[in-house]
Amino acid sequence: MHRIDSAHRSVDLFGTGKDGYTEGSPGVTAPTETTDDHLNAFQEELAKVVEGTGTALVKADNTQVFDAIQTMINKLAVVNWTEQTNPENINLQSICYGLGLFVAVGSHGGAPNDAYIITSQDGFTWTQRVPPVAAALNLYSVAFNGTDLFVAVGEHGNAGDALDDAYILKSSDGINWTHVAPTAALAFDLRSICYGGGVWVAVGNDDGAHPYIISSSDAGVTWTQRHPTVATRGTLYSVAYDGTSRFI
């Protein structure tokens, strides 16, 4: 690539050796001529950006350069990873992002000896958050509803413990958390949670007849157990929403 070098260019317009264009002054100076080699240089530089991502040029699409640059930035972010310091030497099980904050959850332990929750605004510096109930229970999954609520789910406590049902926490900011109990207290772990269509859905361990499935449509306040059409024992480890009308 090169800067304009035609006869009537504006010399050193952007600094020494950095010539540019001028519209000239009638009767005094001529405007800068556009040359074929300069325009071809622009064309090929921009075309290579788009085609470098494996995309064919489309005459009617004026967003291809922007999209290509965005694609390359995203690939760079995914390819290059740097290990960051974990506040405690504790396993993390799940992470999500919302309200400008990364929220990660995991095993219990460390100080204090309860579910592990850490947050970060930039992915580099992480801060530990303390759940409202000190319970030595793992959190397996956390999700964000896209607007104003995080929900995390995990294992159940033992009979006689403060928590003898699946561990569910919710937060409006990712920092301050509230414990929520399912409508029916069942001692089964929840392994995954997602949100879609105004409904939270969490799934988990076999309850003796079928996988444990609960849902909430009131911001995670009330949870109701759901039963599969066919009663088949087995644990469900993950749940997802298709973006329109279906959970799987």
Side-chain angles (χ1 to χ4, degrees):
M1 192 170 183
H2 66 281
R3 298 178 187 276
I4 186 65
D5 56 2
S6 59
H8 297 104
R9 65 189 181 278
S10 179
V11 178
D12 297 337
L13 180 62
F14 300 105
T16 303
K18 299 179 179 180
D19 302 342
Y21 283 84
T22 178
E23 63 182 7
S25 178
V28 180
T29 58
T32 304
E33 305 93 339
T34 298
T35 61
D36 57 352
D37 63 338
H38 195 228
L39 289 177
N40 284 332
F42 275 122
Q43 171 184 286
E44 290 308 298
E45 287 282 348
L46 294 174
K48 286 178 181 178
V49 171
V50 175
E51 293 173 335
T53 64
T55 303
L57 298 179
V58 178
K59 184 175 182 179
D61 188 348
N62 295 326
T63 66
Q64 286 191 293
V65 173
F66 174 83
D67 291 342
I69 293 173
Q70 191 66 52
T71 296
M72 289 186 283
I73 291 173
N74 291 339
K75 285 184 177 180
L76 181 64
V78 171
V79 171
N80 299 307
W81 292 84
T82 304
E83 184 175 0
Q84 304 301 317
T85 301
N86 190 346
E88 297 280 350
N89 187 23
I90 299 173
N91 292 335
L92 292 169
Q93 305 280 356
S94 178
I95 189 170
C96 71
Y97 181 84
L99 300 178
L101 199 68
F102 290 99
V103 176
V105 301
S107 304
H108 70 85
N113 186 29
D114 49 20
Y116 192 41
I117 304 172
I118 57 175
T119 64
S120 173
Q121 291 183 319
D122 58 11
F124 295 95
T125 303
W126 293 84
T127 302
Q128 186 172 359
R129 306 301 177 182
V130 180
V133 180
L137 300 174
N138 299 327
L139 287 172
Y140 294 122
S141 183
V142 62
F144 180 64
N145 70 350
T147 55
D148 58 5
L149 190 66
F150 296 90
V151 176
V153 298
E155 67 178 347
H156 69 88
N158 298 315
D161 290 348
L163 296 172
D164 61 355
D165 50 15
Y167 197 26
I168 304 174
L169 300 177
K170 68 172 188 170
S171 171
S172 61
D173 58 11
I175 297 172
N176 302 294
W177 294 82
T178 302
H179 172 241
V180 181
T183 304
L186 299 175
F188 303 106
D189 297 350
L190 288 172
R191 298 285 181 169
S192 179
I193 186 168
C194 73
Y195 177 86
V199 180
W200 291 93
V201 176
V203 301
N205 286 13
D206 180 344
D207 68 2
H210 32 54
Y212 191 30
I213 304 173
I214 60 174
S215 67
S216 173
S217 56
D218 60 356
V221 176
T222 304
W223 293 85
T224 303
Q225 186 175 10
R226 307 299 180 183
H227 300 293
T229 304
V230 179
T232 302
R233 295 191 62 179
T235 297
L236 292 174
Y237 289 99
S238 186
V239 61
Y241 181 66
D242 72 352
T244 56
S245 61
R246 181 168 48 192
F247 293 89
I248 295 179

